[in-house]
Amino acid sequence: MTALPMTVRAEQVAPAARRPTPQGDTHDAPRAARPARQGEPHALTAGSPAAGADGVPRVLDRCRALVRPSLEEALGRLHPWVAEMAAYSFGWCEVGGAPAVASGGKGVRQALAVLGAEAAGAPERAGVAAAVAVELVHTFSLLHDDIMDGDGDRRGRPTVWKAYGTGPAVLAGDALFALAVETLAAEPGGARAVRTLSVALGDLVRGQADDLLFADRPWTGPERVRPEEYRAMAEHKTGALLGCAAALGAVLGGAGSGTAAALDRAGRHLGVAFQIVDDVLGIWGDPRVTGKPVHGDLRERKKTFPVLVALGSPNGGRIADLLESGDAPESAATLIEEAGGRSVAMAEARRHITAVETALSDVPSTTRAAGELRSLLGYLVRRDV
């Protein structure tokens, strides 16, 4: 095994105030809470699994500390240059390998894997390999997504393709994908785990393909993107890996197929709710919380869920003209809200949160992990994240 001299241990990183990044990835920073008004994303969690969410940062910290050594060991099996690019993407080093203290994100998928194993009645260590594999796959998908979307920044610094080049970034992503499969295959029950990951990866690719194709479809007419198509895309692109994370932990923890399937369903519904709430924030969110400019998604002419709902209204043609021109995002936002885009989107997100609770009720666990899972899933759509 090759050591990673460029990495920085978690205990070496001084706690610092963190804020949302322009890409919508936000980091662990306590904020002064205020009551949510009806219809705002925060109101989503009334009666939802967000109870006890104040303890979620501690759960995330615990899981990251548990997984980090194994994640470092896995990267140490890569070619040193590829390992450096991977470490850079995690925020562990700068270009060239010098240690860095950049945030690598919350580690939500890692936590879901660990909690999935614990919910199955296994010790937390049983979910570590699943957490490593899912984190590797998630990072692989981000490397490739940034290239496809032409995004030059992530978490406040250049993306891997900007820092190292397109070819090297593709290579690093491919290496992380292969390493994820290798990590799972080496575990007891690895064959079942690899099959679970393969299904999620197939869905992730399907969702990414649909997302790319949606951009070229017309705003109106028979070929326009329908809200139900968008829901399916969000489940595949965002939900599949969230569900896979929890299910993989359960699989390696020895859970039966019913428990793993229930956790997978919960994650998939969570992914849809998460994406729709993100869409609402992309139009009407507070820039101080989201890190995005107000009406940013409209300026970028994104086909988000509230927009697609509004395009089916009698004012759809007028909304489409405004979005196509990009000249009056404020007017477009007003028309979208008047057409029900915002309220319908929030109702749809609530429906999926209810489905998350229903799925978790099929997980036969009374352990601490079950409560932590509910808290984590609710926390993700409370959207001060």
Side-chain angles (χ1 to χ4, degrees):
M1 181 189 77
T2 303
L4 287 177
M6 75 290 289
T7 60
V8 180
R9 296 284 178 183
E11 61 268 23
Q12 292 177 289
V13 180
R18 295 171 184 173
R19 59 177 178 80
T21 67
Q23 293 73 31
D25 289 337
T26 55
H27 309 303
D28 310 335
R31 295 187 183 89
R34 63 169 178 83
R37 294 188 293 272
Q38 185 63 31
E40 283 190 336
H42 284 62
L44 184 71
T45 56
S48 80
D54 288 346
V56 168
R58 290 192 295 274
V59 174
L60 294 171
D61 287 344
R62 171 175 71 90
C63 294
R64 282 198 306 269
L66 176 69
V67 173
R68 172 76 179 253
S70 296
L71 190 55
E72 289 181 354
E73 187 276 332
L75 294 194
R77 299 198 300 270
L78 296 174
H79 184 285
W81 184 45
V82 175
E84 180 192 308
M85 287 187 280
Y88 175 87
S89 70
F90 289 133
W92 298 350
C93 77
E94 304 292 355
V95 175
V101 293
S103 171
K106 286 187 173 68
V108 165
R109 291 157 190 82
Q110 298 177 41
L112 286 174
V114 172
L115 294 177
E118 291 180 319
E124 61 180 12
R125 290 290 314 172
V128 169
V132 170
V134 170
E135 191 66 17
L136 293 172
V137 166
H138 175 56
T139 305
F140 141 74
S141 72
L142 294 181
L143 294 182
H144 286 196
D145 280 358
D146 287 340
I147 294 169
M148 287 184 283
D149 296 341
D151 290 336
D153 294 283
R154 180 174 290 278
R155 300 188 183 115
R157 62 183 190 154
T159 51
V160 174
W161 74 270
K162 272 289 188 179
Y164 290 87
T166 301
V170 170
L171 180 65
D174 292 346
L176 293 178
F177 167 68
L179 186 59
V181 174
E182 176 190 327
T183 298
L184 289 180
E187 292 294 305
R192 182 182 167 202
V194 170
R195 286 195 297 272
T196 301
L197 180 64
S198 296
V199 171
L201 283 171
D203 283 346
L204 189 154
V205 170
R206 180 185 298 272
Q208 180 68 52
D210 283 339
D211 192 31
L212 290 172
L213 289 171
F214 286 174
D216 294 327
R217 288 171 59 177
W219 293 104
T220 58
E223 295 302 314
R224 73 179 180 89
V225 180
R226 311 285 172 167
E228 57 270 22
E229 293 179 277
Y230 186 90
R231 280 194 296 268
M233 181 277 295
E235 178 190 332
H236 291 147
K237 184 178 178 182
T238 305
L241 200 55
L242 291 171
C244 176
L248 274 181
V251 166
L252 294 186
S257 58
T259 296
L263 290 169
D264 181 70
R265 285 197 305 277
R268 285 171 178 265
H269 283 294
L270 169 69
V272 179
F274 182 94
Q275 186 60 61
I276 290 174
V277 172
D278 197 61
D279 290 347
V280 171
L281 291 173
I283 300 175
W284 298 284
D286 184 345
R288 293 170 298 178
V289 174
T290 66
K292 300 177 181 180
V294 67
H295 305 139
D297 282 359
L298 299 181
R299 288 187 174 88
E300 295 179 22
R301 298 196 286 275
K302 291 184 178 179
K303 293 184 175 74
T304 59
F305 192 86
V307 169
L308 298 177
V309 169
L311 287 171
S313 74
N315 272 332
R318 185 179 173 195
I319 293 170
D321 290 341
L322 288 173
L323 293 173
E324 187 62 36
S325 69
D327 293 335
E330 298 85 358
S331 299
T334 299
L335 286 175
I336 290 166
E337 186 159 14
E338 290 174 350
R342 183 174 185 171
S343 60
V344 171
M346 293 307 298
E348 182 69 12
R350 291 188 188 95
R351 185 176 74 82
H352 284 280
I353 286 299
T354 300
V356 169
E357 281 282 25
T358 300
L360 289 180
S361 70
D362 292 333
V363 178
S365 175
T366 58
T367 64
R368 176 192 68 180
E372 290 182 338
L373 264 174
R374 284 179 166 83
S375 295
L376 176 59
L377 296 179
Y379 177 79
L380 292 176
V381 290
R382 196 176 60 180
R383 298 328 304 268
D384 53 352
V385 296

